[in-house]
Amino acid sequence: MFIIGVDPGLNTTGYAVLACHGRQLALHEAGVIRSTKGCSLASRVTEIGRGLREVLADYQSADHELRAIAIEQVFSHTSFPKTAILMAHARGAILYAASEANIPIVHYMPRQIKSLLTGSGKASKEQVQRAVQLELNLPSILEPNDVADAAAIAVCHAFASRLNQPLPKA
């Protein structure tokens, strides 16, 4: 069974595919989907959607059970409203690709992710990355940050599923 975590971004969208065997998690694949700077917003959103469709196609066969896509919920800081809007465009492409592939989508707020991984909703990025490294038994912290964040989202979903927590509504 596989879970895909996605860290949406208009420039760079990170993804991480976790293989789940009972309570064991293993990083199966991770990478980034980049959009072309200087292109129109529509073209960039299309690139993100197509990139995710390619990743999903690799995991939609009789040999694989793709359980869910876990994605970070949009949040906004008052000093950076444009960032949230651009992230929302990327999320739209990701949600469309997942929905089109008929894969369940689960949303997590950053505080939920931090809390499930570290026990504190106010954990630092470094604490979250270290928790992911330990849980996945990796020799080092994942890079770039987009991939590390995507892995954290996927691990968060795996933990939430184990705890039988009600899943956030799509």
Side-chain angles (χ1 to χ4, degrees):
M1 170 179 81
F2 293 95
I3 297 170
I4 298 179
V6 181
D7 179 43
L10 187 60
N11 294 324
T12 306
T13 291
Y15 71 91
V17 181
L18 297 188
C20 307
H21 305 286
R23 297 182 69 79
Q24 290 282 55
L25 299 176
L27 183 64
H28 192 265
E29 176 187 347
V32 294
I33 301 165
R34 296 187 193 282
S35 68
T36 307
K37 290 183 181 181
C39 286
S40 70
L41 177 61
S43 293
R44 295 179 78 182
V45 168
T46 299
E47 288 176 327
I48 292 165
R50 284 186 181 144
L52 185 61
R53 284 165 85 186
E54 289 175 18
V55 172
L56 296 178
D58 290 342
Y59 293 92
Q60 287 191 292
S61 69
D63 298 342
H64 299 102
E65 179 190 351
L66 186 49
R67 186 62 161 242
I69 290 182
I71 186 170
E72 187 176 61
Q73 187 67 278
V74 172
F75 65 96
S76 177
H77 293 285
T78 55
S79 47
F80 302 106
K82 186 176 178 182
T83 301
I85 292 168
L86 295 176
M87 184 176 163
H89 288 298
R91 276 180 47 85
I94 293 160
L95 297 177
Y96 179 80
S99 179
E100 182 180 57
N102 202 29
I103 300 166
I105 304 160
V106 186
H107 308 264
Y108 292 96
M109 293 298 294
R111 281 185 176 247
Q112 287 176 295
I113 297 164
K114 291 175 181 182
S115 182
L116 275 170
L117 293 178
T118 69
S120 171
K122 295 181 180 182
S124 69
K125 185 175 278 292
E126 293 76 20
Q127 289 172 309
V128 171
Q129 289 174 342
R130 180 78 173 125
V132 169
Q133 178 188 6
L134 291 172
E135 181 62 32
L136 299 178
N137 198 28
L138 300 172
S140 61
I141 290 174
L142 289 169
E143 291 184 27
N145 283 339
D146 307 290
V147 170
D149 291 347
I153 296 162
V155 171
C156 170
H157 181 65
F159 285 2
S161 298
R162 284 183 199 162
L163 298 171
N164 291 323
Q165 290 190 350
L167 299 177
K169 301 271 189 227

